[in-house]
Amino acid sequence: EPEVTQTPSHQVTQMGQEVILRCVPISNHLYFYWYRQILGQKVEFLVSFYNNEISEKSEIFDDQFSVERPDGSNFTLKIRSTKLEDSAMYFCASSGGLAGAGGELFFGEGSRLTVL
Amino acid sequence: AQSVTQLGSHVSVSEGALVLLRCNYSSSVPPYLFWYVQYPNQGLQLLLKYTTGATLVKGINGFEAEFKKSETSFHLTKPSAHMSDAAEYFCAVSPLYNFNKFYFGSGTKLNVKP
């Protein structure tokens, strides 16, 4: 069964360092998303990506964050200069159509980021 | 703005007992509604969804949920809990004006006692 894969599963970094979280969405999907979950809090929308550009982003997704689909298979989330409050589980997701319009959002297993 | 409330961050039931996980949403226009499950060390998996049509929807693993517009609710039920149902369950909504974004509840951890 096709699945979304994320690497690394866990990353520990020092405050101020750059981090890149990688995702391989399901191959024929067109819509890509990043969500995050701070420990004990809700899963929060960060950004959606379609047709090689950001289609929507939340207020959390400030200038420290960027996304890229560098090679047609990977979908990356970069945090330029990590802060303590960026510590969270980051979920990548993909869908074949607009997920909320009745399509299904397929999630990866998450990448846990710990900022020290 | 959309919000999703899941009542009870932890629910504990005995094996074989009814499972009821509550979800209420706030929206002037009923959104599309979803339940996701997260097993330990795994990603979020779709259990079921309501978009249009029949308000009682059936999902995987014997779960079902009923959309009640008058109560702005989408509670998840299962008649008989199994040990393998122990997981965290998330209710989510997608507003009709923006299918690009999901709003999640804070999750309910289900514990099933033998």
Side-chain angles (χ1 to χ4, degrees):
Chain A
E1 185 178 324
E3 59 181 17
V4 176
T5 56
Q6 289 185 242
T7 53
S9 55
H10 189 193
Q11 181 157 357
V12 181
T13 190
Q14 295 291 324
M15 191 168 56
Q17 295 296 303
E18 176 181 285
V19 160
I20 297 176
L21 304 179
R22 291 182 167 80
C23 169
V24 179
I26 293 172
S27 61
N28 61 348
H29 281 184
L30 302 174
Y31 296 83
F32 313 109
Y33 307 82
W34 283 99
Y35 284 77
R36 79 171 186 191
Q37 185 182 27
I38 295 171
L39 190 64
Q41 298 186 24
K42 294 187 179 189
V43 176
E44 301 172 291
F45 169 81
L46 288 179
V47 66
S48 59
F49 192 86
Y50 170 72
N51 201 26
N52 284 319
E53 59 182 26
I54 290 174
S55 44
E56 183 156 0
K57 59 184 180 179
S58 71
E59 58 276 7
I60 302 167
F61 194 89
D62 60 22
D63 291 343
Q64 294 293 334
F65 291 88
S66 62
V67 290
E68 198 177 33
R69 189 158 161 78
D71 56 14
S73 61
N74 290 283
F75 179 52
T76 61
L77 174 69
K78 183 194 290 186
I79 308 174
R80 256 180 277 283
S81 177
T82 50
K83 304 189 280 284
L84 294 176
E85 54 265 36
D86 294 328
S87 295
M89 179 73 89
Y90 289 81
F91 291 104
C92 175
S94 71
S95 65
L98 278 170
E104 181 173 345
L105 203 58
F106 290 82
F107 284 87
E109 294 183 359
S111 293
R112 181 167 296 286
L113 176 64
T114 302
V115 182
L116 303 176
Chain B
Q2 297 281 334
S3 72
V4 181
T5 303
Q6 290 184 241
L7 195 62
S9 58
H10 290 80
V11 169
S12 187
V13 300
S14 297
E15 193 172 19
L18 171 72
V19 175
L20 170 61
L21 305 181
R22 298 178 187 275
C23 173
N24 289 87
Y25 65 90
S26 68
S27 173
S28 56
V29 177
Y32 287 175
L33 298 152
F34 304 80
W35 275 99
Y36 280 84
V37 59
Q38 185 179 28
Y39 298 103
N41 301 315
Q42 294 187 28
L44 296 162
Q45 179 185 1
L46 181 68
L47 263 183
L48 49 78
K49 63 185 178 188
Y50 169 78
T51 54
T52 58
T55 55
L56 180 65
V57 292
K58 295 186 187 299
I60 61 172
N61 302 337
F63 283 93
E64 59 184 39
E66 186 171 11
F67 166 57
K68 291 188 176 180
K69 183 179 175 181
S70 60
E71 298 177 9
T72 60
S73 69
F74 191 56
H75 301 331
L76 182 71
T77 60
K78 181 174 180 177
S80 176
H82 192 271
M83 297 297 291
S84 61
D85 294 326
E88 188 158 18
Y89 293 80
F90 294 91
C91 182
V93 304
S94 174
L96 296 186
Y97 58 81
N98 186 352
F99 294 136
N100 227 349
K101 183 187 287 191
F102 277 47
Y103 295 86
F104 282 85
S106 51
T108 299
K109 283 190 177 166
L110 176 66
N111 178 45
V112 182
K113 299 175 290 187

